[in-house]
């Protein structure tokens, strides 16, 4: 009791110090318990916790590890594994701490003989029907059951009856099931129902005969399905593409960033030697929590297919391998004497900020501002940062009370972002959609599909009223708007709508733009956009085109007679068209800066070496600059990043967001010249037709091909 | 004497032509069997794979019985081509010569096939297994260059 008092006094004094209050009256006031917290005792240590926390959360806060299988902090409480039993004073039996709310003054004991015996009993029951196949189980080494059995398991079995066996379920090409290993924690069921929003998984049967499955054989139809692999505490759900390929202790882990969509999810790249063996999610509360999309998780086998490993130059027999020197002199010869719009650069979906900056600097030195970013809207005006990023931030959309999606399908453009919107919906947020009607995994009000619906919405109606009355309204503008030829008119209308509906107000910016690829925000940030002269209709056709990993250009963007240089890591459409191929590095092989859709600069790390004779991308551009006689002034990565910081300071403060300025009502004026024509007809639809194949890496991935096939052949 | 011995070796080993001699010299097991044991041996029988079995009464126990494989390619013969009945005789599991002894296989027995060693993915004989490159390179279209592992 004396210790407890001393501790609470110290805590009170700390608070006083923090607030700069030193009078004794203030100290007395501060020492009084906060009304929204309660005090509980974990193993006789007092701790203040918020009201409504469970006993397990109280123990976690006190730094006491409670063993668990079914409890997960991001899912609802199931309380069915019984592993988290603790003793609570005045309770006749041990209680499941995950499901028991902590009460004021509760005395929790976690290290008594009763608790130990209870957990040992639970473990014995769990192991009754669990097979002894750890040596051939892919979860071996990172298995919760294995770890906890080392603490609470017995060294011998008292079970002499038959173990049960369960038929394996076919969940598609990504998730491998060995259902005999399942301990029925139902994390996967709760994840797919609550977070992914697909009612696919469930429990059938009861007691000893209960099974986890999809009721009838069908594909796990979520874009987040791979997360059940991370969630499964045992080896019942494992990665099918990574089955029997590696053990966790053989792998070198590298913390990196995903580039398969614009979200920039935090990932961990696990490599063995020069091979990426798997990619798993990493925690980043501000971006992806702990989920990643299936494309981010499973496209890594594309990194081993169709790779460019030597420079090539086109000769009479097509592209032939050459040395770097020969390739560079071929570029120098082809670009000699060309100036202005005769030169053209197109950056691809996976280009990092460093190489785009180097390429832009090179073209500017050659007297050309003809630099484009591929996709349907390369010339989006990028003068005002708030007009092309998600100002509410990814985490901020969770708190929204009304969300209006325009021309977007976040389920395929950024599935984890969609899970955030779904979370907001579950908290009572009202969601409306203008655009093609799609399944977003949550119900929404479909307000129309074309620009006319937007105009009608602006005139009035219940949704506009809700938006105006909302405390935290959010407007999400997707690539379905940005890739249209009448983009300027639509954007102008949307900006005016945002102002009039109060989406942007004092202390709250609800205007969000959702992009469909990883490199676009960085490209707009560093001004990788064509100059006015190159955009003018009179600009001549380019005779020299430099493709920086660009594979999805419009046919007209690369003229027929042009000399094409392709720099990239995969042989795809760009390399097939090229006269010179320069092998670059994929995102797992270089340290590159990517800016996600909310404007957060993040850096990938090199997990594996580059393949063959390939080089890091910005170094290639630097070498090209030397060859064409316009050397760039930076020789190492630090100097390049210093230049990056000169141009856009937020690009070098990785991991943070610099909130952009919102120019009240001024931005639409810049669009006035282009927005003269009224918006055209036709639905606002997403740019992504096929979620599993969006860029060179995912197109080269056999696993992604299997996913596409499964969507066609399996029931979902 | 030496010439007779060599002629016997050539006859039993079916060694014909210069190239065959080269192979013969570089295959240590065949060399030992043919040069040291074969001429003294008495042919006991031939199995359905064409392997010939010999016995040399004058040699010490466990070295009396030997086989000359039907497979003539260097280092390509496979001990799994020995059928179970001959395997038992060859390894002194029993002394029943399969030519004279009426061996009754069990009902579930299958005909002994040569194990196709080297076919699984992890086998050393698989060229991919011995390839240190862990990626496949892109082959430009219509250039005639070969794709696959470089």
């Amino acid at each position: 009791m004396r210790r407890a008092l001393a501790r609470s006094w110290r805590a009170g004094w700390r608070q006083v110090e923090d607030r700069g209050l030193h009078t004794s009256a203030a100290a007395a006031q501060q020492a009084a318990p906060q009304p929204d917290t309660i005090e509980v005792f974990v193993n006789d240590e007092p701790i203040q916790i918020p009201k409504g926390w469970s006993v397990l959360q109280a123990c976690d806060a006190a730094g006491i590890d409670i063993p668990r299988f079914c409890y997960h902090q991001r899912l609802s409480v199931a309380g069915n594994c019984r592993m988290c039993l603790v003793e609570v004073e005045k309770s006749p039996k041990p209680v499941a701490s995950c499901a028991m709310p902590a009460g004021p003054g509760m005395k929790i004991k976690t290290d008594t003989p009763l608790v130990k015996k209870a957990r040992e009993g639970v473990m014995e029951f769990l192991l009754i029907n669990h097979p002894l196949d750890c040596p051939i189980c892919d979860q071996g080494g990172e298995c919760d059951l294995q770890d906890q059995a080392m603490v609470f398991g017995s060294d011998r079995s008292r079970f002499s009856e038959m173990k049960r066996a369960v038929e394996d379920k076919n969940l598609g090409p990504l998730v491998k099931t060995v259902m005999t290993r399942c301990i029925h924690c139902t994390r996967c069921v709760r994840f797919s129902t609550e977070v992914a929003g697909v009612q696919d998984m469930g429990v059938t049967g009861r007691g000893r005969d209960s099974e986890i499955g999809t009721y009838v054989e069908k594909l796990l139809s979520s874009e987040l399905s791979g997360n059940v692999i991370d969630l499964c505490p045992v080896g019942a759900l494992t990665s099918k593409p990574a089955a029997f390929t590696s053990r966790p202790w053989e792998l070198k882990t590298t913390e990196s960033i995903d580039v398969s969509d614009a979200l920039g999810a935090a990932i961990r790249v696990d490599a063995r030697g020069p091979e990426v063996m798997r990619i798993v999610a990493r925690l980043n509360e501000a971006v992806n929590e702990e989920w990643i999309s299936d494309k981010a998780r499973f496209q890594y086998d594309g990194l081993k297919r169709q790779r460019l490993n030597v420079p090539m130059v086109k000769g009479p027999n097509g592209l032939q391998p050459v040395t770097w020197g020969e390739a560079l002199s071929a570029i120098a010869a082809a670009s000699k004497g060309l100036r202005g719009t005769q030169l053209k650069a197109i950056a691809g979906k996976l280009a990092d900020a460093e190489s785009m900056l180097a390429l832009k600097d090179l073209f500017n030195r050659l007297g050309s501002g003809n630099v484009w970013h591929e996709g349907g809207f390369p010339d989006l005006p990028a003068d005002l940062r708030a007009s092309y990023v998600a100002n509410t931030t990814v985490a901020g959309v969770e708190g929204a009370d009304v969300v209006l999606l325009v021309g977007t399908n976040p389920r395929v453009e950024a599935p984890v972002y969609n899970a955030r919107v779904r979370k907001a919906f579950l908290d009572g947020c009202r969601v409306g959609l203008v655009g093609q009607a799609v399944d977003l995994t949550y119900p929404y009000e479909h307000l129309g599909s074309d620009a006319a619906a937007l105009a009608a919405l602006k005139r009035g109606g219940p949704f506009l009223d809700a938006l105006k009355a909302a405390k935290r309204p959010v407007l999400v503008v997707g690539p379905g708007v940005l890739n249209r030829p009448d983009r300027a008119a639509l954007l102008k209308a949307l900006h005016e709508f945002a102002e009039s509906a109060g989406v942007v107000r004092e202390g709250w910016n609800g205007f969000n733009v959702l992009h469909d690829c990883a490199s676009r925000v960085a490209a707009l940030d560093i001004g990788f956009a064509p100059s006015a002269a190159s955009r003018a209709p009179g600009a001549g056709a380019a005779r020299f085109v430099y493709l920086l990993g660009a594979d999805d250009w419009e046919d007209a963007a690369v003229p027929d007679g042009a000399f094409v240089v392709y720099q990239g890591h995969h042989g795809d459409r760009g390399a097939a068209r090229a006269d010179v191929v320069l092998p670059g590095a994929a995102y797992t092989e270089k340290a590159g800066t990517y800016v996600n859709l909310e404007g957060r600069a993040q850096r990938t790390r090199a997990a594996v070496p580059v393949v063959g004779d390939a080089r890091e991308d910005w170094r290639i551009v630097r070498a090209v600059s030397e060859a064409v006689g316009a050397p760039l002034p930076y020789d190492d990565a630090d100097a390049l990043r210093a230049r990056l910081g000169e141009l856009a300071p937020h690009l070098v403060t990785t991991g943070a967001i610099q909130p952009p300025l919102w120019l009240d009502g001024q931005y639409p004026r810049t669009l006035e010249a282009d927005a003269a024509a009224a918006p055209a007809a036709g639905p606002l639809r997403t740019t992504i037709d096929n979620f599993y194949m969006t860029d060179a890496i995912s197109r080269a991935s056999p696993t992604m091909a299997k996913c596409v096939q499964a969507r066609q052949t399996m029931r979902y | 004497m030496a010439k007779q011995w060599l002629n016997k070796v050539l006859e039993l080993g079916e060694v014909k032509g210069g190239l065959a001699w080269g192979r013969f010299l570089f295959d240590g097991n065949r060399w030992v069997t043919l040069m040291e044991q074969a001429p003294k041996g008495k042919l006991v029988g031939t199995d359905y794979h064409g392997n010939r079995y010999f016995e040399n009464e004058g040699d010490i126990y466990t070295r009396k019985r030997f086989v000359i494989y039907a497979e003539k390619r260097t280092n390509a013969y496979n001990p799994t081509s020995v059928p179970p009945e001959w395997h038992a005789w060859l390894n002194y599991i029993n002394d029943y010569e399969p030519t004279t002894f009426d061996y009754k296989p069990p009902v579930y027995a299958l005909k002994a096939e040569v194990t196709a060693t080297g076919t699984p993915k992890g086998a050393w004989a698989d060229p991919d297994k011995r390839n240190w490159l862990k990626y496949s390179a892109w082959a430009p279209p219509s250039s005639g260059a070969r794709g696959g592992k470089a």
Side-chain angles (χ1 to χ4, degrees):
Chain A
M1 192 61 205
R2 193 183 297 154
R3 254 173 78 196
L5 274 173
R7 199 184 153 108
S8 65
W9 180 84
R10 274 201 303 275
W13 183 244
R14 249 199 317 277
Q15 286 177 347
V16 171
E17 279 184 330
D18 288 349
R19 294 173 186 217
L21 302 169
H22 290 285
T23 62
S24 58
Q29 203 184 350
Q30 287 298 314
Q34 301 289 314
D36 53 344
T37 63
I38 54 169
E39 190 181 45
V40 295
F41 299 87
V42 181
N43 295 339
D44 294 334
E45 292 284 332
I47 183 166
Q48 293 283 340
I49 56 161
K51 268 183 192 167
W53 272 25
S54 65
V55 173
L56 191 144
Q57 283 171 309
C59 294
D60 276 351
I64 306 282
D65 278 335
I66 304 291
R68 68 197 73 173
F69 292 113
C70 71
Y71 176 78
H72 192 275
Q73 59 271 26
R74 290 181 212 285
L75 304 175
S76 64
V77 173
N80 51 9
C81 77
R82 316 310 288 181
M83 196 62 204
C84 60
L85 294 175
V86 296
E87 198 180 342
V88 173
E89 211 167 275
K90 296 198 196 98
S91 168
K93 294 190 290 181
V95 298
S97 60
C98 67
M100 168 69 101
M106 200 179 241
K107 292 191 170 58
I108 303 158
K109 301 253 191 294
T110 65
D111 51 4
T112 59
L114 177 75
V115 169
K116 185 161 184 291
K117 192 149 188 303
R119 289 175 185 169
E120 282 173 357
V122 170
M123 178 55 75
E124 195 170 3
F125 275 122
L126 286 174
L127 292 177
I128 276 180
N129 277 320
H130 194 80
L132 292 168
D133 60 355
C134 301
I136 56 142
C137 177
D138 270 317
Q139 194 84 352
E142 52 183 5
C143 175
D144 288 358
L145 189 64
Q146 212 176 24
D147 293 348
Q148 291 176 35
M150 295 304 288
V151 184
F152 301 107
S154 169
D155 61 344
R156 66 206 65 199
S157 176
R158 292 188 286 173
F159 185 67
S160 56
E161 289 81 35
M162 294 285 281
K163 280 187 186 249
R164 75 175 195 150
V166 183
E167 201 182 343
D168 292 344
K169 313 290 189 293
N170 181 8
L171 299 183
L174 301 178
V175 183
K176 183 189 161 188
T177 63
V178 183
M179 296 316 286
T180 308
R181 296 176 187 151
C182 179
I183 58 166
H184 305 101
C185 68
T186 68
R187 275 186 188 179
C188 53
V189 176
R190 283 176 283 148
F191 173 81
S192 41
T193 315
E194 292 162 15
V195 179
V198 292
Q199 316 290 325
D200 283 352
M201 298 194 82
V203 190
T204 49
R206 52 177 286 187
R208 191 179 184 271
D209 298 319
S210 56
E211 290 185 20
I212 303 281
T214 48
Y215 309 115
V216 291
E217 182 178 309
K218 70 199 278 288
L219 185 72
L220 200 50
S221 59
S222 171
E223 285 76 13
L224 298 168
S225 67
N227 293 299
V228 298
I229 296 166
D230 284 352
L231 281 173
C232 184
V234 295
L237 305 176
T238 52
S239 165
K240 206 174 252 184
F244 307 130
T245 54
S246 63
R247 284 296 195 187
W249 55 84
E250 305 170 330
L251 302 173
K252 186 190 76 171
T253 64
T254 309
E255 299 192 339
S256 189
I257 298 299
D258 171 51
V259 299
S260 67
D261 56 35
L263 186 79
I267 54 167
R268 201 184 78 203
V269 182
D270 286 357
R272 185 177 60 195
E275 266 180 298
V276 176
M277 301 308 287
R278 63 171 183 180
I279 287 174
V280 293
R282 188 160 60 85
L283 188 72
N284 188 345
E285 292 288 354
V287 179
N288 60 322
E289 299 177 284
E290 58 192 89
W291 319 126
I292 54 172
S293 72
D294 284 354
K295 193 167 39 170
R297 187 183 297 267
F298 294 111
Q299 70 167 356
Y300 64 88
D301 56 354
L303 295 167
K304 294 196 266 181
R305 301 279 185 287
Q306 306 278 13
R307 291 306 300 267
L308 301 176
N309 59 345
V310 282
M312 295 186 206
V313 172
K314 193 172 255 177
N317 300 325
L319 286 166
Q320 295 297 325
V322 293
T323 63
W324 272 102
E326 287 163 356
L328 292 177
S329 37
I331 294 172
S335 64
K336 199 170 174 63
L338 300 182
R339 282 289 175 274
T341 53
Q342 290 174 323
L343 300 163
K344 184 176 190 177
I346 305 177
K349 288 176 173 173
L350 304 173
D352 55 309
E354 283 89 348
S355 57
M356 281 194 288
L357 172 67
L359 191 61
K360 178 177 183 289
D361 280 352
L362 170 62
F363 269 66
N364 291 355
R365 269 161 194 262
L366 294 174
S368 170
N370 203 6
V371 292
W372 301 71
H373 189 273
E374 76 177 352
F377 43 104
D379 53 345
L380 184 71
D383 303 327
L384 187 63
R385 193 150 184 262
S387 68
Y388 62 81
V389 298
N391 296 298
T392 314
T393 72
V394 174
V397 80
E398 252 178 47
D401 42 13
V402 177
V403 171
L404 175 62
L405 306 167
V406 180
T408 179
N409 179 3
R411 187 175 176 184
V412 294
E413 284 150 15
V416 181
Y417 185 81
N418 194 44
R420 294 265 195 182
V421 181
R422 182 181 152 78
K423 211 183 202 180
F425 165 78
L426 292 178
D427 283 347
C429 169
R430 189 170 171 182
V431 184
L433 173 71
V434 177
Q436 200 185 17
V438 285
D439 179 10
L440 290 176
T441 70
Y442 44 87
Y444 58 85
E445 291 165 57
H446 191 227
L447 305 163
S449 55
D450 51 6
L454 203 61
L457 181 66
K458 202 174 167 185
R459 281 196 295 275
F463 201 87
L464 182 67
D465 296 342
L467 213 54
K468 279 182 171 163
K471 282 200 183 69
R472 292 176 300 279
V474 164
L475 171 66
V476 181
V477 180
V481 169
L482 303 177
N483 77 336
R484 287 166 64 98
D486 59 343
R487 179 193 60 230
L490 276 171
L491 273 181
K492 183 165 176 287
L494 278 165
H495 273 272
E496 282 162 5
F497 176 71
E499 297 275 351
S500 66
V503 171
V504 183
R505 54 178 79 148
E506 192 64 37
W508 176 259
N509 191 336
F511 186 82
N512 294 274
V513 177
L514 195 60
H515 290 283
D516 57 354
C517 71
S519 66
R520 186 161 295 120
V521 177
L524 295 169
D525 276 352
I526 62 175
F528 201 93
S531 62
S534 0
R535 230 180 308 182
R543 288 167 57 195
F544 176 91
V545 181
Y546 197 104
L547 302 174
L548 182 67
D551 290 300
D552 299 300
W553 24 268
E554 314 265 303
D555 285 328
V558 180
D560 276 343
F563 185 88
V564 178
V565 177
Y566 181 79
Q567 174 188 338
H569 41 80
H570 274 74
D572 205 311
R573 186 165 161 238
R577 167 68 183 84
D579 295 287
V580 174
V581 171
L582 305 175
Y587 71 107
T588 50
E589 296 153 8
K590 65 183 169 191
T593 305
Y594 291 88
V595 185
N596 83 346
L597 55 90
E598 56 180 341
R600 186 187 300 272
Q602 304 183 103
R603 202 164 289 159
T604 60
R605 288 203 183 93
V608 289
V610 291
V611 301
D613 209 8
R615 294 286 187 276
E616 218 175 330
D617 284 289
W618 76 266
R619 289 175 194 278
I620 298 174
V621 179
R622 175 71 180 76
V624 170
S625 77
E626 200 84 39
V628 300
L632 293 169
Y634 22 83
D635 295 332
D636 54 21
D638 286 344
L640 175 61
R641 300 233 164 91
R643 163 79 180 129
L644 205 56
E646 253 170 45
L647 205 65
H650 63 273
L651 286 180
V652 286
T653 53
T654 50
I657 297 182
Q658 210 175 40
L661 281 173
W662 183 262
L663 305 182
D664 296 322
Q666 296 303 305
Y667 179 72
R669 289 190 184 180
T670 62
L671 298 164
E672 231 136 59
D674 297 327
L684 309 170
R685 56 194 307 279
T686 180
T687 47
I688 295 177
D689 294 328
N690 183 352
F691 166 71
Y692 295 107
M693 288 193 177
T694 49
D695 50 46
I697 298 175
S698 50
R699 276 195 291 264
S701 161
T703 307
M704 291 294 105
K706 277 182 202 158
C707 287
V708 175
Q709 202 183 18
R711 287 262 165 149
Q712 288 159 357
T713 54
M714 278 182 79
R715 187 213 307 254
Y716 73 94
Chain B
M1 184 65 194
K3 197 174 179 187
Q4 274 179 350
W5 183 274
L6 205 60
N7 282 339
K8 186 90 174 159
V9 167
L10 294 178
E11 182 200 330
L12 287 171
E14 294 171 6
V15 182
K16 291 175 200 112
L19 208 62
W21 262 107
R23 289 202 213 108
F24 178 58
L25 287 170
F26 281 103
D27 192 338
N29 285 335
R30 256 167 81 77
W31 172 269
V32 170
T33 308
L34 286 170
M35 289 299 282
E36 294 181 7
Q37 291 182 291
K40 290 184 280 180
K42 172 175 74 81
L43 183 67
V44 176
T46 306
D47 69 17
Y48 49 78
H49 286 130
N51 301 326
R52 285 168 298 160
Y53 299 87
F54 295 82
E55 191 163 25
N56 176 14
E57 291 295 344
D59 216 331
I60 59 165
Y61 184 65
T62 73
R63 290 201 190 168
K64 287 178 181 175
R65 297 169 187 174
F66 59 90
V67 57
I68 295 178
Y69 290 104
E71 175 62 67
K72 290 293 179 297
R73 285 173 298 150
T74 311
N75 290 324
Y77 54 79
N78 193 329
T80 59
S81 65
V82 176
E85 60 273 22
W86 279 108
H87 174 82
W89 177 82
L90 191 64
N91 293 281
Y92 305 91
I93 294 167
N94 61 39
D95 290 329
Y96 308 133
E97 288 176 12
T99 44
T100 53
F101 177 67
D102 188 19
Y103 169 67
K104 288 222 168 22
V107 285
Y108 51 83
L110 303 171
K111 194 185 173 215
E113 297 287 348
V114 181
T115 304
T117 306
T119 45
K121 203 174 78 178
W124 190 244
D126 180 359
D128 282 356
K129 179 75 183 170
R130 283 176 286 172
N131 192 344
W132 288 94
L133 271 187
K134 298 297 183 192
Y135 63 91
S136 64
W138 175 71
S142 75
S143 68
R146 274 176 56 81
K149 297 213 170 187

